[in-house]
């Protein structure tokens, strides 16, 4: 091993403490399934007792969904150079419908393996890929349609329930009825329900047989709203170690999926490090690497180069491909009068190719051959919205909707091959036009999951597009979008750094959860109820721990009240000790409860009213009537 | 003048460079009205030319609404110890319906003036207050109902139009039709329309006759959506100089109104410095100072202390008072079973008072006397939502809606006195319940302007509540809310610092603008169109300058591409030079336009198709077909 390899390994083997320290207040737990090798990770947040006049009242722990993988498990031994444990390997093998190959299938992959100049960056632990046996179809959709409940489906059902059935405090289940616009979300998710949703194409479970390290998850309207974070280098920024750390950072804060959108150096090698170490599904846009192979000249792309790239990436274990097969030649002129033309990288590359050759998009013309590849590994489609609007002015135009219609057509073809499929969406859309996007996608695409980028609800805030888009994302999630692709504060300005990744994820976890609440997703309000109860009772630590970002919440509180004593203070620096409304309310509530038994003030003679009131007044003051609740 | 005064003056006289340097790319302009002393400030953003094959094409400047006051005007001479120019003084005097008093009317005010211990913090330039002549009513509502168009109304009409009629580039006016849920927004705002809206109570123009420094603005559903920022100290934080700087900072970034919510030391003196130096309306919650006067004991509050406080603050020039007159005794028990009780400071104080005395809220019982005071100075009501929900679980409950019904009743009483009135709203509300809030407020309050705090759409993100609430604020603004009170990242955790104030304002300027776009407010899309055009043409400086936060946009861009040469680069670090979709699109668009004249590909024999396509292909490549647009 040469010095460069050693250096890279040292870098990648030492994830920073910031990305691996346990999430404050949370304990990793595993919920057992029907077999010993099926253990579903979640996070449990222990809460302190509520002090009451009758002694301390315990607060049952709250369980939350956890995307952070083994990195936040103090019992896990992490070795980035070895990758994560292949938790699904047994399930894949026992299905008996795939085989380990003796070598890589792609020309590029084979050449890459032998290139000594890449030794310094290559992932050290070689693994031989799997592929479906001849004639076999290894997709979850194929199994689902044959009535088979896979271990992956069972895993997902347990995961989605978030142990609600075990929630000790029934009061936390109080929830406003939702408005789900026709979704069908059951009170309790069963493995059979998961199978059904996958079988009808309304949900996908992205899990390439070459990504056995992944913790299964599901994307669909009738499940928890999911989010995706983008990582990846570009020609002007970022190395492998940094991308791996970004991955671990992104899932720590709540990314359900990650797309590796690298366009710079060592795309193949970077991806190997990422997939081997990712507990979440990984998506890519194969066109980027294909373009790199033809030295950046879009017109030199060909089906052959692209096909080889699909196989190369499928054998690495990529779980879904964004494929811009809907950018048809006839749609391209419809972008001529747009304000921002084509903003999708993939879309603009294919548009350029189409015009250079004056031929139909080869991704479209070769679509069924793509399906043959996807079904041999269980890679899901993410049908790319290459013609999405890149500004408010271009929203909902003919180019965008024309492509959406074609994506609907392609969805049906994918389903004929039992290939899992989701459909990408906008973009930049003003609020009053958002619902039309959801309605059209439902109509055109047979309820395949919708996966949008925002949308941004205005163009005028570069530097804050995580916010302009969180607004649109929350709304379109409410209307039925299954996964929301995050946008960071760096959108339109540059490659995001770690702080931007965190900010983007927080904005999107908020949007996804706001959508779940609005849909009335069973149990969604538990966390809000638990946190608000902790807030009202001044259990500051509990409030921080239940929040999406416990570290930030504590940091902000401590900026003005840093001492430990402040963590039991019945105020914060916003209002100080005299003016804290929650403090005052404690007393108000006690007195009001005492009074609540009283009928509404009747029409009494004035003297009787005055006497009655004076009596109540004296009673309230006698009971203490103090601003501070006694400890 | 003693050493302490000198020190304070030095502090306050030296606003930091950060709050006063010109906003990058903007030039302060003044649009003349019908009289020489009526000049409406706006900002003009000059844009660079678009390079084209036929030579540079100029881009007309874009005018935007400007809240920053004289502080960003390089021609203005700022002297904080003297206050801003009294631009409305002449208009007020010539109405002839008020008189300058020879001394302050409030007991507290008089005592304060004579207290030598306050010399160090007192605003140096004394001014005698005005009050309506006996029997006169000096509110804008009173004038409006008598058919009078005041200079303030004319000012507002000019301001709201943002010089759209002078916009040279008609293409920028392209805009999607909105969905305004029954609002009535004209293509062009006239002074008569302003008068009409005020007369029917659907809008308010907050401008106390003792705040002649204010630049008139309007709050109403049929005008641009406005935002409010909160400043003010608490017992555990912040001095006068810091609060003045926060004011200037807040309006720099776009606060239309500012509320001084101080609860700490020197509330009166702090407010004087703020009002004298504020070009925007200032709101307060008089109850806070009243509580300070009774040493923090809510039960010791009385109508007499409160009345004196109203007069004291009205004579300083406060433009609107938040008054929790809807917290009725019978509603208080309805909060007993809430998760977070009463979260409004004012609401909890009044609830405590009601229970301690077992009497009806004195703000309610003395409401008409309050009106008599308000009409003598033109202070507007902001009817406080003391029983707003402080968590998702408590949203839309009986306590909240009971109070809203009473606020409707009080609005009608205020109107009987020609006192301007807006109504405050929630709070914490999940998305599916937001519209019901707007609908109920419209029904109960006669279309008086709605002024909400968010609402927050989930409780689970302390540290990010500017985002949880921007989602709800954008939606409720779309539905018809006239003003949105900001929420900062510090909400629930502590007093906001300057960074938090900026973040909160940006989130709310976004929400307000997203609402204007969704409503189809005439001209709202101009800025989005201009910015997106600049973005597409890689006019980086123009993109920054047109954004809500030019400094942040540039800073983010420069993090990865800092050199000046990068400002004409046709890429940024997100994708690098090969992959920039906008770059590629330039070429695509040219070729597509050439092709656009062609009919759709007909059903031709295969050979003819191949020949036709090869011809088009050759033509495209012959025309350049390059990734980079030539300079």
């Amino acid at each position: 091993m040469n010095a460069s390899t050693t250096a890279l390994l040292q870098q990648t083997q030492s994830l920073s403490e910031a990305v691996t320290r346990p999430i404050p207040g949370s304990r990793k737990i595993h919920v057992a399934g029907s077999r010993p090798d099926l253990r579903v990770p979640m996070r449990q947040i222990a809460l302190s007792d509520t002090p009451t006049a009758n002694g301390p009242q315990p607060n049952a722990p709250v369980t939350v969904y956890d995307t952070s993988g083994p990195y936040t498990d103090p019992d896990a031994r992490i070795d980035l150079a070895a990758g994560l444990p292949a938790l699904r390997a047994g399930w894949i093998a026992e299905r008996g419908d795939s085989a380990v190959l003796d070598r890589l299938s792609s020309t590029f992959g084979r050449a890459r393996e032998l290139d000594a100049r890449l030794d310094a960056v290559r992932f050290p632990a070689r693994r031989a890929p799997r592929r479906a046996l001849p004639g076999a179809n290894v997709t979850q959709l194929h199994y689902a349609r044959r009535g088979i409940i896979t271990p992956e489906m069972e895993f997902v059902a347990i995961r989605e329930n978030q142990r609600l059935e075990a929630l000790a405090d029934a009061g936390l289940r109080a929830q406003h009825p939702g408005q789900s616009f026709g979704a069908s979300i059951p009170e309790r998710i069963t493995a059979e329900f998961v199978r059904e949703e996958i079988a009808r194409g309304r949900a996908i479970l992205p899990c390439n047989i070459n990504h056995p390290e992944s913790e299964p998850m599901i994307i669909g309207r009738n499940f928890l709203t999911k989010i995706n974070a983008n990582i990846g280098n570009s020609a002007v920024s970022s190395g492998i170690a940094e991308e791996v750390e970004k991955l671990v950072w992104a899932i720590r804060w709540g990314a359900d999926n990650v797309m590796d959108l690298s366009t710079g150096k060592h795309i193949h090698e970077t991806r190997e490090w990422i997939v081997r170490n990712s507990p979440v599904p990984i998506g890519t846009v194969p066109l980027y690497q294909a373009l790199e192979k033809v030295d950046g000249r879009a017109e030199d792309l060909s089906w052959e180069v692209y096909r080889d790239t699909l196989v190369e990436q499928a054998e690495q274990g990529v779980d879904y491909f964004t494929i811009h097969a809907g950018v048809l030649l006839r749609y391209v002129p419809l972008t001529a009068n747009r304000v921002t033309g084509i903003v999708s990288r993939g879309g603009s590359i294919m548009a350029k190719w189409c015009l250079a050759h004056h031929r139909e998009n080869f991704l479209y013309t070769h679509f069924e051959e793509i399906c043959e590849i996807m079904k041999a590994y269980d890679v899901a489609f993410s049908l790319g919205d290459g013609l999405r609007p890149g500004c408010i002015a271009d929203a909902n135009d003919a180019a965008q909707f024309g492509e959406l219609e074609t994506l609907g057509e392609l969805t049906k073809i994918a389903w004929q091959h039992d290939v899992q499929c989701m459909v990408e969406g906008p973009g930049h859309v003003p609020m009053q036009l958002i619902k039309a996007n959801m309605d059209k996608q439902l109509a055109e695409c047979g309820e395949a999951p919708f996966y949008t980028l925002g949308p941004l609800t205005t163009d005028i805030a570069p530097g804050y597009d995580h916010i302009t888009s969180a607004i649109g994302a929350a709304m379109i999630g409410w209307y039925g979008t299954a996964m929301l692709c995050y946008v960071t504060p760096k959108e339109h300005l540059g490659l995001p750094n770690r702080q931007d990744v965190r900010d983007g994820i927080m904005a999107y976890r908020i949007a996804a959860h706001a959508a779940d609440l609005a849909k009335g997703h069973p149990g969604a309000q538990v966390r809000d109820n638990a946190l608000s109860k902790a807030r009202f009772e001044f259990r500051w630590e509990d409030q921080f721990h239940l929040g999406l970002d416990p570290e930030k919440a504590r940091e902000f509180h401590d900026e003005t009240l840093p001492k430990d004593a402040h963590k039991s203070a019945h105020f914060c620096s916003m209002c100080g000790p005299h003016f804290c409304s929650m403090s005052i309310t404690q007393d108000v509530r006690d007195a009001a409860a005492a009074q609540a038994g009283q009928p509404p003030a009747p029409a009494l003679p004035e003297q009787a009213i005055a006497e009655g009131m004076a009596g109540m007044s004296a009673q309230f003051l006698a009971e203490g009537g103090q601003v501070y609740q006694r400890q």
Side-chain angles (χ1 to χ4, degrees), chain A:
Chain A
M1 193 182 291
N2 62 32
S4 305
T5 312
T6 311
L8 179 64
L9 282 176
Q10 278 169 350
Q11 273 188 306
T12 46
Q13 270 165 352
S14 50
L15 287 171
S16 68
E17 191 266 345
V19 307
T20 52
R21 63 183 174 232
I23 292 167
S26 281
R27 186 171 69 88
K28 180 85 76 179
I29 63 171
H30 292 87
V31 179
S34 69
R35 43 189 291 173
D37 61 353
L38 204 159
R39 299 166 69 246
V40 184
M42 302 186 193
R43 275 195 283 133
Q44 194 171 74
I45 303 169
L47 304 174
S48 51
D49 297 341
T50 299
T52 76
N54 302 324
Q57 191 81 14
N59 287 295
V62 169
T63 304
V64 299
Y65 195 105
D66 179 29
T67 58
S68 59
Y71 299 100
T72 50
D73 183 350
D75 296 336
R77 200 179 67 81
I78 302 298
D79 180 357
L80 292 177
L84 294 177
L87 73 95
R88 296 198 300 117
W91 310 346
I92 296 163
E94 76 194 21
R95 287 197 269 266
D97 53 3
S98 64
V100 177
L101 306 176
D102 44 12
R103 61 174 192 159
L104 298 174
S105 309
S106 68
T107 309
F108 181 86
R110 288 180 207 156
R112 207 73 177 175
E113 253 188 334
L114 300 174
D115 188 343
R117 293 167 302 173
L118 297 168
D119 288 351
V121 296
R122 190 178 293 110
F123 183 75
R126 299 295 197 285
R127 47 175 287 290
R130 278 188 174 269
R131 191 175 62 199
L133 292 172
N137 183 328
V138 297
T139 72
Q140 293 288 315
L141 175 52
H142 189 67
Y143 303 140
R145 283 181 169 169
R146 289 159 80 206
I148 298 167
I149 292 176
T150 60
E152 286 88 348
M153 293 173 199
E154 182 192 344
F155 186 106
V156 155
I158 295 170
R159 199 173 194 186
E160 290 279 322
N161 280 320
Q162 303 175 92
R163 278 222 314 166
L164 275 175
E165 64 280 1
L167 186 67
D169 181 353
L172 288 182
R173 286 301 302 264
Q175 177 153 337
H176 295 285
Q179 164 56 275
S180 75
F181 300 101
S184 316
I185 311 169
E187 269 302 307
R188 190 160 175 281
I189 306 288
T190 61
E192 169 59 20
F193 178 75
V194 172
R195 186 203 64 74
E196 236 176 62
E197 289 289 293
I198 295 173
R200 66 196 293 173
R202 203 154 59 185
I204 69 170
L205 202 165
C207 57
N208 186 324
I209 59 175
N210 285 307
H211 187 192
E213 302 90 341
S214 65
E215 296 171 346
M217 56 81 70
I218 191 149
I219 300 169
R221 175 181 197 189
N222 293 324
F223 299 95
L224 292 165
T225 307
K226 306 303 190 302
I227 75 170
N228 174 81
N230 294 327
I231 63 172
N233 63 22
S234 80
V236 294
S237 193
S238 204
I240 290 179
E242 203 172 318
E243 291 310 311
V244 173
E245 175 126 334
K246 254 190 227 172
L247 163 76
V248 177
W249 183 246
I251 62 177
R252 173 189 182 77
W253 294 117
D256 294 287
N257 279 214
V258 163
M259 291 195 76
D260 173 7
L261 301 182
S262 293
T263 56
K265 296 182 70 170
H266 305 136
I267 292 177
H268 180 95
E269 289 69 32
T270 303
R271 184 171 45 246
E272 188 73 33
W273 281 92
I274 284 172
V275 178
R276 299 283 67 81
N277 286 293
S278 177
V280 302
I282 296 295
T284 62
V285 187
L287 196 61
Y288 297 168
Q289 193 181 1
L291 187 68
E292 191 199 7
K293 292 173 184 176
V294 296
D295 294 321
R297 286 185 302 271
E299 55 270 34
D300 290 351
L301 285 165
S302 67
W303 163 243
E304 288 69 34
V305 169
Y306 187 81
R307 186 194 179 288
D308 196 66
T309 307
L310 290 180
V311 172
E312 166 210 341
Q313 298 198 6
E315 291 192 347
Q316 285 185 294
V318 172
D319 302 286
Y320 59 96
F321 291 147
T322 291
I323 294 181
H324 298 88
V327 179
L328 302 189
L329 179 57
R330 66 180 176 274
Y331 297 145
V332 176
L334 298 177
T335 66
N337 293 324
R338 280 184 161 185
V339 175
T340 47
I342 299 170
V343 298
S344 153
R345 290 177 195 163
S348 62
I349 292 166
M350 289 316 299
K352 193 168 157 79
W353 187 92
C354 288
L355 291 176
H357 296 273
H358 206 66
R359 278 164 49 200
E360 193 54 279
N361 180 339
F362 67 79
L363 301 174
Y364 179 85
T365 54
H366 290 271
F367 194 75
E368 299 216 49
E369 290 160 82
I370 297 175
C371 292
E372 295 291 344
I373 297 170
M374 312 283 270
K375 75 212 267 188
Y377 302 94
D378 196 4
V379 184
F381 276 112
S382 186
L383 293 177
D385 55 338
L387 302 182
R388 69 175 175 273
C391 64
I392 293 299
D394 296 341
N396 292 22
D397 74 352
Q400 177 192 344
F401 281 169
E403 179 183 51
L404 181 57
E405 288 160 16
T406 298
L407 298 188
E409 174 198 334
L410 293 170
T411 299
K412 315 299 175 19
I413 296 172
W415 286 347
Q416 285 165 17
H417 291 265
D418 284 353
V419 175
Q420 304 196 76
C421 187
M422 61 182 169
V423 177
E424 293 183 8
H428 289 231
V429 184
M431 290 193 287
Q432 81 278 22
L433 299 185
I434 292 177
K435 186 129 195 319
N437 277 272
M438 190 70 229
D439 293 343
K440 187 163 177 75
Q441 191 268 345
L442 284 168
E444 298 292 338
C445 302
E447 293 191 280
F450 204 19
Y451 168 32
T452 60
L453 179 63
L456 285 69
T457 51
T458 169
D459 305 335
I460 71 170
Y464 299 85
D465 279 322
H466 58 312
I467 300 180
T468 60
S469 65
I471 294 167
M475 292 171 65
I476 210 169
W478 176 20
Y479 301 150
T481 289
M483 186 155 74
L484 309 167
C485 184
Y486 89 164
V487 173
T488 75
K490 285 282 171 50
E491 187 73 9
H492 301 120
L493 299 171
L495 202 69
N497 62 27
R498 269 173 42 160
Q499 180 60 43
D500 301 316
V501 167
R502 181 183 191 169
D503 286 339
I505 288 171
M506 283 302 145
Y508 274 69
R509 277 265 63 97
I510 287 168
H513 186 75
D516 287 339
L517 282 176
K519 290 162 74 180
H521 194 101
Q525 205 176 303
V526 166
R527 196 169 180 174
D528 300 74
N529 294 341
L531 191 147
S532 292
K533 185 172 192 282
R535 173 174 286 156
F536 183 68
E537 294 171 5
F538 297 99
R539 288 183 279 121
W540 286 102
E541 301 279 358
D542 291 349
Q543 184 187 162
F544 302 154
H545 295 160
L546 285 161
L548 287 177
D549 189 340
E551 295 177 10
K552 177 65 67 76
R554 174 191 299 273
E555 177 197 321
F556 274 7
H557 174 272
D558 287 1
E559 248 182 60
T560 49
L561 288 178
K563 303 195 173 82
D564 278 352
H566 293 139
K567 300 298 189 302
S568 53
H570 282 222
F571 61 90
C572 71
S573 67
M574 176 76 89
C575 307
H578 284 182
F579 283 85
C580 177
S581 58
M582 292 197 181
S583 233
I584 297 168
T585 301
Q586 296 277 9
D587 309 296
V588 164
R589 192 168 63 162
D590 297 338
Q595 203 192 141
Q598 308 271 331
L604 286 175
E606 215 175 83
Q607 188 192 8
I609 293 172
E611 282 174 8
M613 288 179 169
M616 287 302 302
S617 161
Q619 179 180 354
F620 174 76
L621 290 169
E623 279 166 356
Q626 286 182 12
V627 172
Y628 288 101
Q629 185 179 46
R630 293 190 198 86
Q631 293 288 354

